[in-house]
Structures are given as C-alpha cells and as structure tokens.
Amino acid sequence: MSWVAIAGVCIVIASLQLRKFKPPPSTKPRLPLATIPSDYCRMQQPNGKCGGTFVTSFEQEPKTFNPLTKIDGPSHNAQKLLFASLLEYDYEHQCLVPGLAKHFTIQDNRIYRFTLRQGLQWSDGHPFSIEDVLFTFDLLFAKTQDAHGHHEWQFPSTCVNKFIYQQKQLAYKKIDDKTIEFETPIVWASFLEDLSSVFILPKHKLEESVKNNTLLRQWNLQTAVDNPQDIVGMGPFCIKYFQPGERLILVPNPYYWKVDNLGQRLPYVDAYITQYVSNTTVRTILFGSGKTDAAPIGPMDLQWVKNGASRYDYTVYDRGPDIKFTFFWFNLQSGVTSHGKHFVDPCKLKWFSDVHFRQAILYGLDRQGMVEANYLGQGEVWHSFIHRLDGRWYNPKLHHYDYNPDKAKQILKEAGFRWDEQGNLMDVDQQRVCFDILWSTSGTNTLITTLKNNMADLGIEVNVINLDFKALLEIINHHYTYDSAIVGFRFGQNDPNDFLEALHSGGNFHYWWPNQTQAQTEWEKEIDMLLDLQAQSLDVAVRKPYWDRIQEIMHEQVPWMPLCSANHFTGIKNKWKNLRIPPRGNIIWNIEEIWCDP
C-alpha cells in the first residue's frame, strides 16, 4: 500500500474519531463586572464570543501529566494547557509577564518578592493560596537517601538543577499570606525565566500522596484515562477525555483566572482537541484537507497545502527560520548498566570518544544536501546551537564544517583509521567501523538517507533503528544503551541559559553523557565554569564573551553535531480571531484568547 493510501486511511479514522465528540452548546456565564476579583487578569485583546472547538493533531503524545517527573516535549506541551506558573512568557513581545503572581520586586539583583493574585481557585474550585507555592518548591527540592546512603532528588523534575547555583540551592520563604520571597545565593541572569518553567501544584490534591510516597504514580496516563477530573490545575483547560494513541480532549477550566473586558471568563472555545497521528505527513494532510484548524507545514508540502487555502479557508504564514534544529550525537557514556551490560560497546566508545573521529564525521555530512533534499532548499545549516539571527548571543567567528569528504578521510587517516580493499573503514585493531543510530519514525526519511549515504562514502556502515518518538526518548533519557541518535528540539525563549540542562555536565539533557556527578573531561569542566560565570551578570556585554567561548568549545569538541532546520511555515483557519502570531514559538500560544463566530 502506498503512503498516500495509508495517509487516506488515517484521515478517515481520525475523522471518525473526531466526530465522536460533540461539545455541548456554550453555556459559560458572563461574570458580572462588579463581582470579578480585582486580582483576576483582565486581557486587553478585542472581546470575543464563547463557543467553537479547536482541533489540531500531533504525532507525539504525552508520557505523563505529572510535572514532577522528567518531562519530554510532548508532555510539557500538554501540561502548559493544564497548569500555570508565577510568571508567563509572552511570545508575541518576547518577554515575561505576570502569571499567578501579579507583580514582583527585585533587591540587589538576588532577592525577589512576589505578590500573589488573591481570590483565585483551582480547577476543582478549591482556593489557591501561597501554601500551594511553598508546597511546590518543597517538592522540587525534596531529597531522599538511596541504599548506599547517598542523597538524591526525590522527584526527578528537570527543573530542579536550574535552581542550584555553585552547589547552593535557591532559598525561599513566606513573608505573609500573599507574598513569597526567593533569594539566589549569587546573581543569576535567567532566574525569572527559570521560575516561569515551574508549574504550581495543588497541595490539597497531592499532599496525601506525598505522605504515602505515591506522588510519582499520580497523574500518569492511566489517571487521565480513568479519572481525568483528578488532574487539577490553574491553566486554561482541564482534561475531559484521553485515550493514548487516539486523542486528548480538553475543556475550559471553569475557574480560570483570566477574563476579557466584558467579564467573560476565558478561554472562549468550548473544547480543544488534539488528535494523535502516526507521522507528520498525516498531520499535514489532515490540515490541508480541512480536518484540523492549525498545523506546521513542511517545505516539501508547502505548495500543495497553499493550493487548498481558498477551498478550506485557511492561511499559511511564512515565519522565517525555525528555532527547532535537528542534531546528531554519539553516546559517550562509559560504564555498565545494573545488569552489567556496557552502555556502549567498548570498541565503539573508543571511536566515539576521539574528537578527531567526531570532527571527521561532521566534515563528512552533506548538511546543505540535507536542506535541499528535505526542505527543497527552504531551510539552512546550523553551525552552533544558537541561531545565527540571534545576534546578541551567536558567535560569528566560528569556522564552518562545510561538507568535505576528502578532509574527513584525511582526519580519519591521521587518527589511525584505514580502509580495506572493499573500501570499509577499519580502526587500528582491524575492527570495521559501524554504528547504530536511533531515529524517530515521525522524522523525514530523506535526512537519514542522506546521512547513511554520506557515511557509506567514508566506508562506515550505519544501521538505522526506527522507533516512535516516545520509545526513542525512553532509551536516551533512561536506559542509555545505544550508539547514536538524531533528535530535533527547540531550545530557548530569549536567553541562552535555557541550554543549561543540555550544556552542563550534570544536566538531564546533556545527551552525550547525562547527569554526570562531576565533569568527565577537561572541556566539559571549562563549560561548567563558563556557565556559572556568565549567569552571574545581568549585563549582556559581560555575558557575551562567555557564550562565545562556550560555542567555540562545543564547535571544537563536537559532542553533538547541529544539522539543519526548515523554514517555519504554519497554517491556521481564517475563522479564528485574536491571533497574536509570534516571531518564534507556537502560533496558538494564546489559545485562551482565540475565538471564532460559532
């Protein structure tokens, strides 16, 4: 069966599933202006109308709805719709704005006092208070003792390392019933942005599970299937229905704390539905055939999707270079699993750990060819983890690893590698060079094909292991038993310190060797030191040289290899109002304000 036929079957199935849910007519009452709590957030966009269902699709589903576990991208995207933070990010203006805290003050660039909004309620109607904020941070910093007497974080949240500064953790205390104070032991440039990533949790709902040590089992996928009302938040939506592999249906939080100027409680829509599909092709076809309301559009599909704009009444926006880039890395983790198996075969680890081998591989990759093949030229090669258009932070002095297979072979030869009579690359011990690569089945096949062909030209055999994205994340985040992988991620909002978890040797996303108790190489030690130094100033001019050097080290050592990204095209139906299209980020980041004529 051809991919077109498969996609057609998927569309029929998806359409039938979507028809199963019919939201009731909108009955959300307009709140009398005089009764709206003064601390409610009154939005300034044009007033809209309640009603309508927003339908989208995604090829990766969440793994958990519990913010205290290690969070992958799909889980975080779902949680952003259910929970709220003290501060929020305005993607249109690229700045932080008040969230559950209505304002804050800063003293000595280290002491932050936040005043909480009063009169707010959780999605189950229980009052929100400062005790919930204290509860959340107590959980974040909770420690436990393993069988060997070593202390470790009790809950494996990816947030906690952001609040450890030179082995000292963030201090916090209650000032009064509506004021909380945070104090960083040193000046830390990205503290406010880091704080915006912490979802506040309901003490009344989770305290009992803390006492009986079942918190990590709370709010998993099965909870969302069986008892979605148990997942309580302060975000714009609540879970109505969830079926893994099928769809997630969200309905408005009846106690949401944002209103428009007429007193209508947001969000306007009656339901927000995410349909889970097998790959990006199906996702694009669903949008291009009018079955969903919004979707990213790849360059390969751009023309035919544009051809359907009049028929299905949508617009495709060209938003320039995407900040999501694809990168490739080798697993450098030494040691063995709990079962005595090497994370990486020692012979392969010897190759991967050689910086000359990694540099040769990068010279041997035709990344511009990947752009042409994958994106019809509608994209670009990345030369750093920071995009070239981010002039405040990008280091323009980096030399480029332009495609040069002859240079790649010369470097390999100088590193002791040779070729046999059949052209196979052999190491000094006469072992043939080959490796496996993890690859998400939701990715673009032409990219992995280009990589395999490039490696074959160097005499290297590559075995591609196709996995769904969820399974791939499980291996690279928890098991660590693999050779190499390719993943695409979006890092950063406005400050490169968002790369901390990826660059610091102890970071969860330090994928080539995560969660190191201490840096295993001299160059990683230097990066750790530079990360600490740059964060201790709020002055971009002071921080920029540190980030230049960090980029130089990453460029020289190539622990990961930036590949390329597509230009960013997004389609959305014209019926939706109050769109605030940002220069980067999700086109419907302000979903609570979006409305349509029912």
Side-chain angles (χ1 to χ4, degrees), residues 385-386 393 395 496 503 526-527 529-537 539-553:
F385 55 88
I386 296 176
W393 304 109
N395 182 352
L503 296 173
E526 184 179 358
I527 288 179
M529 177 192 69
L530 293 168
L531 288 170
D532 283 343
L533 290 173
Q534 63 82 28
Q536 296 175 45
S537 174
D539 188 342
V540 172
V542 173
R543 299 175 65 202
K544 177 63 161 62
Y546 293 123
W547 280 107
D548 283 349
R549 177 58 185 151
I550 291 170
Q551 290 174 80
E552 287 175 3
I553 296 171

Side-chain angles (χ1 to χ4, degrees), residues 28 40-41 43 50 52 54 76-85 87-89 98-100 120-124 199-200 231-240 248-259 264-273 586 588-594:
K28 286 184 288 185
Y40 268 36
C41 181
M43 307 304 287
C50 293
F54 197 100
H76 181 71
N77 290 337
Q79 291 175 21
K80 283 195 297 185
L81 299 168
L82 305 174
F83 305 105
S85 306
L87 298 173
E88 298 182 342
Y89 196 77
L100 296 176
L120 276 57
Q121 296 168 275
W122 290 92
S123 57
D124 62 355
F199 295 130
I200 305 303
I231 301 175
V232 174
M234 294 292 290
F237 294 98
C238 307
I239 300 176
K240 176 70 174 179
L248 172 67
I249 299 176
L250 304 178
V251 293
N253 173 356
Y255 300 99
Y256 194 47
W257 44 278
K258 292 182 182 180
V259 297
Q264 294 181 114
R265 194 190 296 269
L266 303 180
Y268 290 116
V269 298
D270 288 332
Y272 180 96
I273 301 178
N586 191 344
I588 54 169
W589 66 276
N590 63 323
I591 182 64
E592 67 269 26
E593 298 177 291
I594 294 175

Side-chain angles (χ1 to χ4, degrees), residues 95-216:
C95 65
L96 292 167
V97 296
L100 296 176
K102 63 180 179 180
H103 59 74
F104 62 92
T105 61
I106 306 175
Q107 180 183 345
D108 299 330
N109 289 329
R110 293 192 306 107
I111 300 173
Y112 302 79
R113 281 197 175 186
F114 289 83
T115 302
L116 304 184
R117 299 181 189 274
Q118 300 298 294
L120 276 57
Q121 296 168 275
W122 290 92
S123 57
D124 62 355
H126 194 279
F128 167 77
S129 77
I130 195 170
E131 297 304 319
D132 297 306
V133 182
L134 295 169
F135 175 75
T136 299
F137 281 89
D138 286 347
L139 292 178
L140 197 65
F141 292 111
K143 288 187 177 181
T144 188
Q145 199 172 51
D146 64 18
H148 304 288
H150 300 133
H151 286 89
E152 58 187 11
W153 301 118
Q154 187 172 357
F155 307 110
S157 167
T158 56
C159 288
V160 65
N161 288 334
K162 296 180 179 181
F163 302 106
I164 305 299
Y165 316 96
Q166 297 180 350
Q167 286 75 55
K168 297 179 182 179
Q169 77 176 45
L170 174 71
Y172 55 95
K173 63 182 179 181
K174 174 181 175 180
I175 302 300
D176 55 42
D177 286 344
K178 61 180 181 180
T179 310
I180 184 170
E181 179 180 282
F182 296 95
E183 182 176 351
T184 60
I186 57 177
V187 175
W188 198 255
S190 63
F191 171 71
L192 291 176
E193 187 164 328
D194 294 340
L195 194 70
S196 72
S197 68
V198 179
F199 295 130
I200 305 303
L201 301 173
K203 182 177 180 179
H204 73 281
K205 196 70 178 176
L206 296 176
E207 186 174 29
E208 186 61 33
S209 64
V210 174
K211 293 177 181 178
N212 60 31
N213 201 31
T214 62
L215 183 56
L216 287 179

Side-chain angles (χ1 to χ4, degrees), residues 348-381:
K348 294 180 179 180
L349 184 61
K350 184 178 178 181
W351 311 332
F352 302 162
S353 299
D354 185 343
V355 64
H356 300 101
F357 179 83
R358 300 195 299 269
Q359 289 174 345
I361 296 298
L362 189 50
Y363 273 119
L365 291 177
D366 185 6
R367 294 181 290 168
Q368 186 57 44
M370 294 177 181
V371 171
E372 299 298 329
N374 288 331
Y375 314 131
L376 299 180
Q378 297 273 6
E380 60 182 82
V381 171

Side-chain angles (χ1 to χ4, degrees), residues 35-102:
T35 66
I36 296 175
S38 60
D39 281 351
Y40 268 36
C41 181
R42 196 182 295 256
M43 307 304 287
Q44 299 304 310
Q45 291 300 106
N47 299 315
K49 300 177 182 178
C50 293
T53 299
F54 197 100
V55 181
T56 187
S57 62
F58 203 57
E59 64 271 21
Q60 299 151 12
E61 63 186 62
K63 294 177 63 178
T64 179
F65 294 99
N66 187 339
L68 286 174
T69 62
K70 284 187 176 181
I71 299 301
D72 57 283
S75 297
H76 181 71
N77 290 337
Q79 291 175 21
K80 283 195 297 185
L81 299 168
L82 305 174
F83 305 105
S85 306
L86 296 179
L87 298 173
E88 298 182 342
Y89 196 77
D90 182 327
Y91 283 88
E92 180 185 24
H93 299 103
Q94 301 286 287
C95 65
L96 292 167
V97 296
L100 296 176
K102 63 180 179 180

